[in-house]
Amino acid sequence: VGEDSAKFELGEQKVSSWVYFAGILGSVLFALDVLWIDPSTGYGKAFVNAVSGISESKEVAMLILIFIFATVHSGLASLRDTGEKLIGERAFRVLFAGISLPLAVSTVVYFINHRYDGTQWWQVQSVLGVHELVWISNFISFFFLYPSTFNLLEVAAVDKPKMHLWETGIMRITRHPQMVGQVIWCLAHTLWIGNSVAAAASVGLIGHHLFGVWNGDRRLKIRYGEAYDALKSRTSVVPFAAIFDGRQKLPKDYYKEFIRLPYLTITALTLGAYFAHPIMQSSSFNLHW
């Protein structure tokens, strides 16, 4: 039986664990700023300049940044079993995050700063209903994009990181929610921006996540064997496919699997991210990446 995702029991939480989490998060953000973001001390600007210097095309630079991030991120994920045996689960998670996070920040900042460069293919931002469609699509995409954040203490290596066989909540809809969420996000942003840079970013991100579907299934099969096969038989990559063909049996109180703190947190953060768009845009612009 697959694990119950997004389960959060307040009575089981330790104050000390969340104090450690806050300390680790603060330390990581401070190190990220000093070593990568701050132009006077970090290497982020030099990295982005080196990549963008390969070609005058913003589309090419965007794809190269995504390719570098995808190679490192998926490569380290593929080495997880070996790495954890060599240095332990917590140390490998720190290594994984320490390398992946700066590359992700560079890619996101470059996209924000150059999202309106390139060739404009269409302009539908003033068309009635498009803003609402894009907003709703992005809101939904975040519920698919971030199931891995259900265990924040594992993400920060406060608790020992694990590979989970989730099956409840969003996992009943699709076994690979991050891929589905990324596709929705990319299609919505490409529709809204309507140019070649947005399309290039979408091609790169969707391609990376489609590879992640194969790689993720492969890694789970290696680690869990027949247990994974059983889970795979009851779930699907295509959203709702396992439900429609009867392989995934929904309980009567299925909706309760979404009335949990992690989903409420995603809702709050998604709304916050929408209203924080001007701050993110101005912060990215000030970096001149």
Side-chain angles (χ1 to χ4, degrees):
V1 177
E3 295 180 68
D4 187 9
S5 66
K7 183 180 180 181
F8 186 89
E9 298 292 341
L10 189 61
E12 297 178 0
Q13 304 304 306
K14 296 180 180 179
V15 174
S16 59
S17 294
W18 288 101
V19 171
Y20 290 144
F21 173 80
I24 291 171
L25 179 62
S27 300
V28 168
L29 293 178
F30 176 78
L32 180 66
D33 179 59
V34 173
L35 299 175
W36 197 257
I37 297 176
D38 190 328
S40 62
T41 59
Y43 295 94
K45 184 176 177 62
F47 169 72
V48 173
N49 287 344
V51 172
S52 60
I54 296 174
S55 172
E56 295 182 357
S57 168
K58 300 298 189 295
E59 296 87 348
V60 171
M62 188 78 256
L63 285 170
I64 293 174
L65 285 169
I66 293 174
F67 178 78
I68 293 172
F69 168 76
T71 301
V72 171
H73 190 268
S74 293
L76 286 173
S78 298
L79 295 172
R80 178 173 179 172
D81 287 346
T82 303
E84 288 182 345
K85 290 178 181 177
L86 290 174
I87 62 176
E89 291 89 342
R90 288 186 172 90
F92 187 81
R93 174 56 58 87
V94 172
L95 176 66
F96 179 84
I99 298 177
S100 298
L101 187 57
L103 297 177
V105 169
S106 298
T107 305
V108 171
V109 170
Y110 189 87
F111 172 75
I112 293 175
N113 285 347
H114 299 282
R115 67 196 185 281
Y116 285 116
D117 294 341
T119 304
Q120 193 70 35
W121 291 340
W122 60 77
Q123 178 57 261
V124 296
Q125 293 184 5
S126 60
V127 175
L128 182 65
V130 170
H131 178 270
E132 289 75 13
L133 173 62
V134 170
W135 193 95
I136 293 172
S137 298
N138 281 296
F139 185 83
I140 293 173
S141 75
F142 275 77
F143 283 94
F144 287 90
L145 271 168
Y146 294 108
S148 60
T149 59
F150 287 159
N151 291 68
L152 288 177
L153 296 181
E154 288 185 27
V155 172
V158 175
D159 290 345
K160 185 180 292 186
K162 303 174 183 176
M163 285 183 67
H164 294 275
L165 285 174
W166 302 125
E167 189 173 1
T168 64
I170 204 74
M171 299 295 179
R172 295 187 188 274
I173 298 174
T174 171
R175 190 169 66 252
H176 289 281
Q178 284 184 296
M179 179 275 293
V180 173
Q182 189 67 77
V183 170
I184 295 173
W185 187 93
C186 286
L187 293 178
H189 277 76
T190 301
L191 172 65
W192 181 253
I193 297 172
N195 66 18
S196 54
V197 171
S202 293
V203 168
L205 289 170
I206 291 174
H208 170 47
H209 281 75
L210 289 176
F211 172 79
V213 169
W214 171 82
N215 197 35
D217 281 351
R218 181 187 66 84
R219 291 166 52 224
L220 286 170
K221 170 64 175 177
I222 292 173
R223 177 165 294 205
Y224 291 111
E226 293 182 0
Y228 168 72
D229 290 336
L231 178 72
K232 183 179 180 180
S233 69
R234 298 191 300 268
T235 57
S236 63
V237 176
V238 177
F240 299 103
I243 296 175
F244 291 154
D245 63 24
R247 290 183 290 120
Q248 176 62 231
K249 304 295 184 181
L250 298 180
K252 293 182 180 180
D253 59 351
Y254 168 65
Y255 67 93
K256 292 182 180 179
E257 295 176 359
F258 287 94
I259 308 177
R260 290 175 167 177
L261 183 59
Y263 285 110
L264 297 176
T265 302
I266 290 174
T267 301
L269 292 176
T270 302
L271 293 173
Y274 173 75
F275 291 111
H277 264 59
I279 298 175
M280 291 187 290
Q281 291 166 5
S282 62
S283 299
S284 296
F285 177 76
N286 289 333
L287 290 176
H288 302 292
W289 288 3

